[in-house]
Amino acid sequence: MSKRYKVAVIKGDGVGPEVIEEAKKVLDAAAYSFRFTIDYYDYLMGGVAVDRVGVPLPDETLCGCLDADAILFGAVGGGKWDSLEHNFRPEHGLLKLRKSLDVFANLRPIFVYNELADASTLKTEVISGVDIMVVRELTGGIYFGEPRAKEEDKAYNTMIYSREEIHRIAKIAFETALKRKKKVCSVDKANVLEVSRFWREEVIRVAQEYPDVALTHMYVDNAAMQLIKNPKQFDVILTGNLFGDILSDEASMLCGSIGLLPSASIGHKVSLYEPIHGSAPDIAKQGIVNPIAAIASASMMLRYSLQQEEAANAIDKAINKVLKDGYRTRDIASFGAKSLCTTDDMGTLIANIVSRHEKE
Ligand code: IPM
Ligand code: MN
């Protein structure tokens, strides 16, 4: 009997529905070639949910997600909902979803496709061969810390990390490094913040369990600079929620377009897979968004949640192949494009290669 998986799908806002459409197309091709079945269950979330049912994360969505084998997520948010009170903003729905699922580890691989080595604004020799895994803590830190408030004459948030929170994310970083180049760079602001000094102490403690992994520490301001100056020095970057958010957007530019990079958010229950880009309402519904980040997120889903490693490899290879053949969406059009293609074309091209791939 072939395997059957339940995938919860959240298309969300802006370009979300378009990129998810392509990711599903490629997943279906992989399911066909590698003989498994995916049943998709669509759930509302984000601005569309606010518009239809009044809240960004309906209970039904959360229950559906908890009941699935994995969650495929597009993007949420947009100017239309920006003036809403905090708890009603689409972004709040995403934060609540991450927290409720306890997906504390956000893995953001930053790598440069060979064919796009000159797509970056940085020099080719600086970025070619870059291969970094950002391990960002996702359910704690200043995003969730209490107390928080916006008052008449002041506003505040709290950056807080417990030993347990640091411990579990550090373990993920060291385990990840063991499968890579065995280097962890922990990024903090320990010269100023108590929370960072505590973070550093706990990371050092966890490192003792991993004598084969080299641990270094870097202040976040320096890390921001080093990422541009010499990104190849990094293997695994371990950091907190806010620093990880900022550094991963910065690092995404090493590879030329934020439209290329996937992410996985992992915990002990179901995991969430999403492109690292946002909802980009300004380019929605024009067929110009790059679906590769979402397709690569689907590939991470096959690898980490559904144990379909071969199918994931086939997708990654297919992405490489179309880029090698010179197909480009608009965001990367000036870099070696032989044919400019739409969002839909890009998904179809990748899906076609995957569906020709025969299981041995
Ligand atoms: C991301 C996004 C989110 C974050 C927003 C939309 C809440 O920027 O996934 O990086 O800050 O975590
Ligand atoms: Mn972000």
Side-chain angles (χ1 to χ4, degrees), residues 98 106 108 136 143 241 244-246 248-249 258 276-278:
R98 289 172 177 168
N106 186 215
R108 298 189 159 185
R136 167 190 177 196
Y143 273 51
N241 206 343
D245 179 47
I246 299 167
S248 58
D249 261 40
I258 198 164
I276 82 163
H277 62 71

Side-chain angles (χ1 to χ4, degrees), residues 68-124:
D69 294 312
I71 307 158
L72 188 62
F73 185 95
V76 293
K80 185 176 170 199
W81 304 282
D82 273 353
S83 54
L84 293 177
E85 193 231 311
H86 177 73
N87 286 356
F88 291 93
R89 289 179 60 122
E91 291 85 348
H92 178 73
L94 176 57
L95 297 178
K96 193 171 158 202
L97 179 68
R98 289 172 177 168
K99 191 77 178 169
S100 310
L101 301 173
D102 198 23
V103 285
F104 63 90
N106 186 215
L107 308 183
R108 298 189 159 185
I110 310 287
F111 51 89
V112 177
Y113 288 101
N114 280 342
E115 293 69 28
L116 296 177
D118 53 358
S120 171
T121 48
L122 301 178
K123 289 200 188 93
T124 311

Side-chain angles (χ1 to χ4, degrees), residues 38-49:
I38 298 182
D39 297 315
Y40 302 100
Y41 297 84
D42 278 323
Y43 293 102
L44 274 185
M45 203 190 128
V48 276

Side-chain angles (χ1 to χ4, degrees), residues 228-243:
I228 302 298
K229 192 175 167 200
N230 177 18
K232 277 185 249 187
Q233 69 185 284
F234 296 106
D235 177 23
V236 173
I237 293 180
L238 162 64
T239 191
N241 206 343
L242 180 63
F243 298 158

